[in-house]
């Protein structure tokens, strides 16, 4: 009995410890850098708890050991990066792609977005995490639209929040609340600090990193500025940028791992000239100003970053920095504003500042408008709360509901404004935006506009108008992407570009019923203007007459191939069979728009062409999957399944039910890794690969070792050029499998499982020590058979990683496709396929609730009229396939 009693006590102790550990465990998908939480607005936020100065986990291999972790703040005008170190960098591309306050500590430029509390007795508390005083307690939260820090030391605490207010205003706000935790009055001074260091990044010469990859470092080209000014009445500091001199874009953006330029069409260097530069400003919106500084030398003096001389002396000097030229590689300008504060015992004082970049004449009205707002943060967060998707997917998938809210915020935070084009666009982000300084490629913003149609149609509409005007009159040719001020990046062309303009226009018009946009005049890149509907017809003309068809019914691969850029150069693709499937699907969608506007003859031509393309794709069946394309007469993807091809064979209606089942099984085996040999990496943890492993014993088509050295060979050991797990390809896979829910056993479960494995939470769960993939990620992560499956990106730059808009867009689109949301010429078809008994979601423009045998919901259109709703609850096909 004694033994039993002791055993019972021991078991009780173990159980208590287990329960305590479970209670303290971070929410699913938090990784090892911090934990997810829900803020007081019901929005997700990530509390970063790692001490990046000491923890070995902070070193990022994709950034050559850099210990930076950042989060994107953004509204519809600009973006900013909030860093774990405590500072925030503001990015703007209204005129030029540029940072306004580039962090360059070696030049005493420290970005800003923080400050210094100088207390009586001379103690200085810097709220920069890297300079926190000994004994200070710090919390850091990356939130939906904000970065919040609390620095607590002794009897004082400083609560700060940097945020991009919801809407279209080009500024950040910085709220500072100083809390007196003691029983005595607190008399102190707050020094608000924002640096001014405008620079735009350009790719530099390639270099090999420590892991054998070649990265293209980024060089920063600094902008010239006048001397800053202080408007005492408006409590506003400002500095005018000067018109930029000639900026030459490098002749090539991509390199092989041997350090050689990729075999591609060379770029023609272009000249960017900003004749109407914007003004950078900072203003005190709430609280006093008792002196300013604008000169780095005067403010810091002989002090250091943690204790500037002006702060230590508790006196702003009124310094004015000299003008800066482009040749100076920076300058001496900063913005510092001193505010004396008196805080009663147990009380607090709140200060508020604005930092932004705008047209000179817009600065004063912008400052006045925000000075009049009493609670701008609360208003901004309520707007984000209304915008972000809400979902209920059951207790087991509660984390998925959190992820959908986060991805809604992330997708919209990529929205920026281009003054040259006169429209907003959902930028691809990441190293493309912040390293290579271009908006690319043409197809990507249009892809990302698809889910935005159901979140905020205005943003989608702007992106469509931005993209349509990239067409050239006559031919309909569009560039690969865009530099700042609406200047084309002529890198070469791909055969799939028109598809995405047609799909975005079709989805937008059918979902919103906004046919008026089709009559809107939209200029061409080179001259004149035409209606958006004429632009759509020109895209069809370009696809058929300029891109053209090959001998097997596919489309000419042109300079770059299709979505898989440079597959022409690296794998010799001459004829793409993906694009016929894409075009067949797009033409059928556009035909419904033609029905709505009464263009019957055009609709008939589109449907006839779609059927012809469908048959061309159908002829590519090899008994197990569909062939990817041709290099002359040699088939690509005959001995190795290509994941990018199969979804479009299904969506174009080329694949029969039996063929779709074969595709499902082959995808699971070769791309997802279910049932693959253990030597390839074991069970799948994140999204499916785009191609099989090169050393898979059942693969008979291999990628040459010389070609596998290319920069695009993600993770190595790939049986094709575009290795790795691509968000876009897996988004197509979820989409296609969702359409098979009642026809192919296992399709609905596989679609849901694939969707789940492509989330941030799944990546952080599988690889908790990888920051890239925790709160944002690249457009590609390495596949299950890669030498390091935890990594993301393909090392395009050693300066930037993560924060690309593909993942939020395709996760949100996957929700809509599994919900069976399909706008039509007459209304909507709703045919859910998600393998859950009960679930619901609500987006601003559409909502759905599924219960056993019942379905309810709503849609909002932009125009009045009658909508015909077709609702169908899909039955499960017999003989289901087990999906892990």
């Amino acid at each position: 009995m004694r033994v039993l009693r002791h055993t019972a006590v021991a078991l009780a102790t173990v159980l208590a410890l287990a329960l305590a550990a479970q209670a303290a465990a971070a929410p699913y998908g938090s990784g090892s850098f911090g934990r997810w939480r829900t803020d007081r607005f019901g929005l997700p936020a990530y509390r970063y708890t790692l001490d990046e100065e000491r923890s070995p986990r902070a070193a990022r291999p994709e950034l050559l050991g850099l210990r930076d972790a950042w989060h994107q703040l953004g509204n519809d005008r600009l973006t900013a990066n909030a860093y774990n170190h405590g500072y925030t960098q503001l990015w703007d591309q209204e005129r030029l792609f540029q940072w306004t306050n580039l962090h360059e500590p070696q030049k005493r430029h420290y970005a800003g977005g923080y400050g210094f509390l100088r207390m009586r007795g001379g103690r200085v508390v810097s709220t920069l995490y890297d300079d926190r005083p000994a004994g200070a307690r710090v919390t850091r939260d990356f939130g939906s639209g904000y970065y919040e820090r609390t620095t607590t030391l002794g009897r004082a605490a400083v609560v700060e929040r940097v945020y991009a207010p919801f809407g279209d205003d080009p500024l950040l706000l910085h709220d500072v609340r100083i809390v007196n935790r003691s029983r005595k009055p607190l008399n102190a001074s707050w020094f608000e600090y924002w640096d001014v260091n405008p620079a735009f990044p350009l790719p530099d010469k390639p270099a090999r990193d420590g892991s054998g990859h070649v990265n293209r470092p980024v060089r920063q080209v600094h902008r010239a500025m006048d001397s800053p000014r202080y408007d005492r009445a408006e409590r506003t500091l400002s500095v005018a940028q000067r018109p930029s001199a000639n900026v030459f874009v490098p002749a090539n953006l991509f390199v092989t791992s041997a350090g050689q330029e990729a075999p591609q069409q060379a770029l023609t260097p272009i000249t960017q000239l900003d004749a109407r530069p914007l003004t950078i400003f900072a203003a005190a919106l709430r609280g006093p100003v008792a002196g300013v500084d604008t000169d780095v030398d005067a403010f810091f003096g002989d002090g250091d970053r943690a204790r500037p001389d002006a702060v230590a002396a508790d006196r702003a000097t009124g310094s004015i920095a000299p003008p800066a030229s482009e040749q100076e590689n920076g300058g001496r300008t900063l913005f510092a504003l001193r505010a004396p504060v008196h805080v009663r015992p147990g009380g607090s004082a709140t200060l508020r500042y604005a930092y932004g970049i705008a047209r000179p004449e817009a600065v004063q009205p912008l400052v006045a408008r925000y000075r009049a707002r009493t609670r701008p943060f609360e208003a901004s967060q309520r707007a984000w709360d209304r915008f972000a998707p809400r979902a209920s997917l059951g207790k087991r998938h509660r984390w998925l509901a959190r992820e959908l809210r986060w991805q809604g915020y992330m997708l919209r935070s990529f929205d920026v404004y281009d003054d040259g084009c006169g429209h907003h666009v959902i930028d691809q982000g990441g190293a493309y935006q912040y390293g290579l300084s271009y908006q690319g490629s043409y197809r990507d913003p249009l892809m990302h506009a698809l889910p935005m149609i159901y979140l905020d149609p205005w943003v989608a509409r702007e992106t469509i108008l931005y993209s349509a005007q990239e067409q050239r009159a006559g031919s309909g040719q569009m560039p690969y992407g865009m530099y700042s001020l609406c200047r084309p990046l002529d890198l070469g062309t791909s055969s799939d570009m028109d598809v995405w303009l047609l799909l975005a226009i079709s989805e937008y018009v059918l979902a919103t019923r906004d046919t008026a946009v089709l009559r809107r005049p939209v200029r061409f890149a080179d001259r004149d203007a035409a209606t958006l509907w004429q632009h759509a017809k020109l895209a069809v003309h370009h696809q058929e007459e300029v891109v053209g068809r090959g001998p097997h019914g596919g489309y000419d691969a042109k300079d770059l191939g299709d979505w898989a850029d440079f597959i022409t150069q690296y794998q010799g693709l001459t004829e793409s069979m993906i694009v016929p499937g894409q075009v067949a699907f797009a033409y059928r969608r556009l035909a419904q728009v033609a029905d709505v506007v009464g263009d019957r003859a055009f609709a008939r031509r589109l449907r006839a062409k779609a059927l012809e393309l469908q048959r061309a794709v159908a002829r590519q069946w090899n008994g197990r999957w569909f062939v990817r394309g041709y290099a002359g007469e040699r088939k690509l993807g005959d001995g190795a399944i290509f994941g990018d091809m199969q979804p479009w064979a299904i969506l174009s209606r080329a694949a029969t039910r039996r063929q779709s089942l074969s595709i499902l099984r082959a995808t699971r085996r070769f791309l997802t890794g279910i049932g693959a040999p253990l030597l390839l990496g074991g069970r799948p943890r994140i999204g499916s690969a785009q191609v099989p492993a090169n050393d898979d014993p059942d693969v008979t088509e291999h990628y040459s070792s010389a070609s596998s050295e290319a920069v695009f060979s993600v993770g190595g050991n790939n049986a094709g050029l575009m290795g790795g797990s691509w968000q876009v390809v897996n988004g197509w896979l979820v989409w296609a499998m969702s359409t098979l829910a009642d026809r192919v056993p296992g399709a609905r479960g596989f679609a849901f499982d694939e969707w789940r494995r492509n989330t941030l939470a799944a990546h952080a769960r599988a690889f908790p020590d990888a920051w890239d993939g925790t709160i944002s990620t690249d457009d590609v992560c390495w596949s299950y058979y890669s030498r390091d499956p935890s990594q993301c990106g393909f090392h395009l730059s050693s300066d930037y990683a993560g924060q690309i808009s593909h993942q939020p867009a395709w996760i949100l689109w996957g929700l809509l496709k599994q919900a069976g949301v399909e706008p039509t010429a007459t209304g909507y078809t709703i045919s859910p396929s998600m393998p859950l008994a009960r679930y619901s979601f609500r987006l601003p423009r559409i909502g759905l609730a599924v219960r056993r045998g019942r379905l309810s919901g709503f849609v909002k259109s932009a125009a009045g009229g009658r909508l015909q709703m077709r609702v169908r609850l899909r039955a499960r096909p017999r003989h289901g396939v087990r999906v892990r």
Side-chain angles (χ1 to χ4, degrees), residues 62-275:
E62 71 273 18
L63 299 179
L64 307 184
L66 198 67
R67 292 173 174 264
D68 292 3
W70 55 81
H71 167 50
Q72 181 165 288
L73 311 181
N75 57 19
D76 289 328
R77 178 67 54 156
L78 44 68
T79 63
N81 273 0
Y83 287 78
N84 54 348
H85 302 294
Y87 59 84
T88 300
Q89 279 186 177
L90 178 62
W91 173 268
D92 173 71
Q93 58 192 67
E94 181 171 335
R95 299 293 297 169
L96 293 184
F97 285 51
Q98 68 172 79
W99 299 108
T100 65
N101 57 331
L102 179 68
H103 184 252
E104 290 185 307
Q106 70 278 14
K107 301 174 184 176
R108 298 215 289 185
H109 289 294
Y110 305 118
Y114 59 94
F116 307 87
L117 186 67
R118 200 275 191 188
M119 294 187 283
R120 182 171 292 179
R123 187 167 199 179
V124 174
V125 177
S126 169
T127 63
L128 186 72
Y129 179 81
D130 289 0
D131 293 335
R132 64 198 184 282
R137 300 195 312 273
V138 179
T139 62
R140 294 166 288 176
D141 289 324
F142 294 141
S144 301
Y146 65 88
Y147 178 30
E148 185 168 296
R149 292 187 311 279
T150 299
T151 305
T152 304
L153 183 67
R155 65 194 186 104
V158 182
V159 183
E160 299 173 86
R161 193 182 295 119
V162 177
Y163 54 104
F166 188 93
D168 196 28
D169 290 323
L171 82 172
L172 298 174
L173 298 182
H174 184 203
D175 292 354
V176 182
R177 185 163 65 93
I178 300 168
V179 181
N180 184 356
R181 304 171 67 240
S182 74
R183 297 180 179 179
K184 296 180 180 180
L186 173 65
N187 294 298
S189 295
W190 173 259
F191 284 79
E192 175 75 3
Y193 169 71
W194 287 95
D195 193 60
V196 181
N197 189 25
F200 44 91
L202 289 177
D204 209 343
K205 294 180 180 179
R208 188 185 297 274
D209 68 20
S211 64
H213 284 274
V214 165
N215 295 280
R216 186 179 283 279
V218 172
R219 62 185 175 92
Q220 302 290 343
V221 180
H222 293 81
R223 296 204 61 173
M225 298 177 287
D226 293 336
S227 284
R229 297 175 59 251
Y230 178 55
D231 186 328
R232 189 179 303 273
E234 297 297 329
R235 293 182 293 164
T236 301
L237 289 162
S238 62
V239 61
Q241 299 178 111
R242 293 179 182 171
S244 65
N246 293 340
V247 179
F248 293 96
V249 176
N252 212 302
L253 296 177
F254 301 104
V255 294
T256 68
S257 64
Q260 304 299 315
E261 299 291 352
Q264 66 185 69
Q265 178 180 335
L267 296 176
T268 301
I270 66 168
T271 301
Q272 296 176 325
L273 183 64
D274 184 5

